[in-house]
Amino acid sequence: MAHPAEPPRFTGSGKLRPEEQIYQEMLGAILDRRLEPGMKLIEEDLAKTFGVSRARIRAAFLQLAHDKLINLVPNRGAFVAEPTIDEAIEVFSARRMIEDGVVRKVTTHMNDDQAEQIRAHLQAEHKAHHEGDHRAAIILSGEFHLLLARLANNLVIEEFLERLILRSSLIIAMYESPQPADCSHDDHDALLRALTGGNPDEATACMARHLDNIRDRLQLQREKPGKTDFASIFGRRPTSKAG
Amino acid sequence: MAHPAEPPRFTGSGKLRPEEQIYQEMLGAILDRRLEPGMKLIEEDLAKTFGVSRARIRAAFLQLAHDKLINLVPNRGAFVAEPTIDEAIEVFSARRMIEDGVVRKVTTHMNDDQAEQIRAHLQAEHKAHHEGDHRAAIILSGEFHLLLARLANNLVIEEFLERLILRSSLIIAMYESPQPADCSHDDHDALLRALTGGNPDEATACMARHLDNIRDRLQLQREKPGKTDFASIFGRRPTSKAG
DNA sequence: TTTTACAAAATTGTTGACGATTTGCATAAC
DNA sequence: GTTATGCAAATCGTCAACAATTTTGTAAAA
């Protein structure tokens, strides 16, 4: 448990590190689509907005790029990521692999306390749903999966899944259907039953179905018009020289 | 396939980006134990060594910290990571989860070409082993697992496993037995047989055994004497004031 | 009219310097 | 002899300015 050098998220008197602050703000903006996929992120503008120097913004960019939420292009700058359809499919495929293991482990090691944690979380999800708080519902929905990872008792997996869920959120924001069904809390209920049932195969099947549901509800059929990719629209590559 | 903004690893005339260069050099030094776990990494010294400014070193630090190969402590600096025993166990546990899925997928989708790729790799492993090239053997051993991930055809998993394998290398370097058994290429041979056998359960069992072998060959019994953790030695937390 | 060449603007890449924090050491007090 | 205090060195955190690159706009030439 005792990591040698603890990474404190807070400095002395309890104020949030500005670095983390900026990262979180940009994260929220991207997931909310206030920053749209493909949008250029100009260092100086952001620096002025947050009242810091460009160096700080650059550090935040590196973090976001690592999470695949923005793209860093040398000498060109940073752009909000535009996950392709193939990428989206791979992310959900990866989640199936990871969460299969998570669910299997949680099912076999489930105890009363853990079951209670899940139930409490589901209650919060239902509350948000009934109150029509769509934003909270989406966040809680992601945190449900994170809770499962935490119960699997493996920090490595937990951190990776966290990144994957963030990426999923961007994908969902980019490809979601006009009328979001938002019925994943029902899936989560079923998942709890399967988890407490003690049958790993049943539980993993349930999780696989759930992730497929999310993916299939996305509109992954055609390229979104957000950033006009003329090459694909016109089905040809740009000619270097007309001749 | 067409990612909108391609992330070029090379600049114009084909020379490696200095950023990547520095990251790779430090990576190699850490995995070779030329930089020992716990060692302080002073920005200015490294900057002079590589002939760049501190900003560049800082960017490399962020990358390495993200891979958990160094620790960044605010106002104190960067230190080569000292993975704890618990961390080591978690990493190998995580790999079991991930590679379970990988092996399962590869087994069910194996074709002749893929089998040939694995065979070719194993041949290289054997060659390095017989020539006594221990360093190459270790690298190839890691790349074997990476090859499997690539054959699973999921970039997300592949990248994550790459990080995990790097971390494993540091753990192995830190905790390896005095006389390295280095017989993992036998395990890999068995793995190939299982993979081509077409039985996913057998193949995953084989991989699980292999990873457990690596882990169990480590000396994870007691704290290494490198960094004395008095708190754990004496089973108490340091008192802030005596009285 | 189209293409090319050139110039100007915007933006990123890089550096060196300055202030803040931590650490180590010497000195003094108990 | 041990503990507390204060100073000095080392190192990190931050910034603002300069250089290099890309992009955009304009005009001349084919």
Side-chain angles (χ1 to χ4, degrees), chain A:
Chain A
M1 274 299 177
H3 285 241
E6 58 216 310
R9 303 226 140 201
F10 297 87
T11 41
S13 56
K15 67 170 189 285
L16 205 60
R17 281 193 302 171
E19 195 175 346
E20 193 76 9
Q21 168 84 15
I22 291 166
Y23 170 82
Q24 289 290 345
E25 289 234 29
M26 293 188 62
L27 188 70
I30 290 172
L31 299 186
D32 278 353
R33 292 204 59 163
R34 296 199 303 276
L35 292 176
E36 287 182 31
M39 188 176 280
K40 175 102 197 271
L41 301 172
I42 296 171
E43 293 181 358
E44 196 161 349
D45 292 355
L46 286 165
K48 262 186 278 192
T49 302
F50 288 111
V52 299
S53 78
R54 277 172 51 212
R56 202 58 78 83
I57 300 295
R58 249 148 179 281
F61 277 0
L62 249 53
Q63 291 265 354
L64 290 165
H66 203 286
D67 294 347
K68 299 284 169 73
L69 296 176
I70 69 172
N71 290 327
L72 251 32
V73 186
N75 286 321
R76 297 263 328 275
F79 305 84
V80 178
E82 303 172 283
T84 63
I85 293 174
D86 293 318
E87 240 179 296
I89 291 170
E90 281 198 353
V91 167
F92 281 101
S93 168
R95 283 188 60 175
R96 265 185 70 151
M97 275 200 211
I98 308 281
E99 303 205 51
D100 182 278
V102 167
V103 163
R104 179 161 271 118
K105 193 162 182 180
V106 171
T107 307
T108 53
H109 290 69
M110 174 79 75
N111 62 35
D112 289 349
D113 176 57
Q114 296 181 329
E116 191 45 50
Q117 285 186 55
I118 300 176
R119 260 190 289 272
H121 185 96
L122 284 181
Q123 205 165 339
E125 276 195 69
H126 282 281
K127 180 161 172 285
H129 185 68
H130 286 129
E131 290 177 354
D133 191 346
H134 189 61
R135 173 134 179 62
I138 289 175
I139 292 174
L140 285 168
S141 179
E143 284 177 352
F144 172 81
H145 291 257
L146 217 48
L147 172 60
L148 258 41
R150 181 151 43 249
L151 296 182
N153 208 39
N154 187 316
L155 244 66
V156 179
I157 292 291
E158 193 182 327
E159 280 181 26
F160 179 51
L161 193 57
E162 184 174 1
R163 301 246 155 63
L164 235 37
I165 288 171
L166 252 40
R167 242 174 123 176
S168 300
S169 298
L170 175 57
I171 289 168
I172 291 170
M174 190 165 163
Y175 289 108
E176 73 183 342
S177 312
Q179 63 281 30
D182 192 34
C183 55
S184 64
H185 60 284
D186 290 332
D187 282 12
H188 289 184
D189 286 339
L191 221 20
L192 171 60
R193 280 192 297 277
L195 286 166
T196 51
N199 183 343
D201 291 328
E202 196 181 313
T204 58
C206 193
M207 174 60 89
R209 266 198 308 276
H210 173 45
L211 289 173
D212 285 348
N213 278 344
I214 299 176
R215 186 197 58 196
D216 294 342
R217 211 175 301 136
L218 263 33
Q219 295 192 307
L220 296 179
Q221 299 80 14
R222 64 192 74 256
E223 198 78 34
K224 297 286 279 191
K227 171 82 165 291
T228 42
D229 177 6
F230 293 123
S232 81
I233 288 174
F234 298 109
R236 64 176 74 171
R237 302 191 59 74
T239 57
S240 54
K241 289 274 183 182

Side-chain angles (χ1 to χ4, degrees), chain A residues 62, chain B residues 9 15-31 34-35 41-65 67 69-70 78 166:
Chain A
L62 249 53
Chain B
R9 301 228 140 199
K15 69 167 187 288
L16 205 61
R17 281 193 301 168
E19 195 176 344
E20 194 76 9
Q21 168 85 15
I22 291 166
Y23 171 82
Q24 288 292 344
E25 290 235 29
M26 293 189 60
L27 189 69
I30 290 172
L31 298 186
R34 296 199 303 277
L35 292 175
L41 301 172
I42 297 171
E43 293 181 358
E44 196 161 350
D45 292 355
L46 286 165
K48 262 185 277 192
T49 302
F50 288 111
V52 299
S53 77
R54 276 173 52 210
R56 202 57 78 88
I57 301 295
R58 248 148 179 283
F61 278 179
L62 249 54
Q63 291 265 354
L64 290 165
D67 295 347
L69 296 177
I70 68 172
L166 252 41

Side-chain angles (χ1 to χ4, degrees), chain B residues 79-119:
Chain B
F79 304 83
V80 178
E82 302 173 283
T84 63
I85 294 174
D86 293 317
E87 240 179 297
I89 291 170
E90 282 198 352
V91 166
F92 281 102
S93 168
R95 283 188 60 175
R96 265 185 71 152
M97 274 199 210
I98 309 281
E99 303 204 52
D100 182 278
V102 167
V103 164
R104 180 161 269 118
K105 193 164 183 179
V106 171
T107 307
T108 52
H109 291 68
M110 173 80 75
N111 63 34
D112 289 349
D113 176 56
Q114 296 182 329
E116 190 45 50
Q117 284 186 57
I118 299 176
R119 261 189 289 273

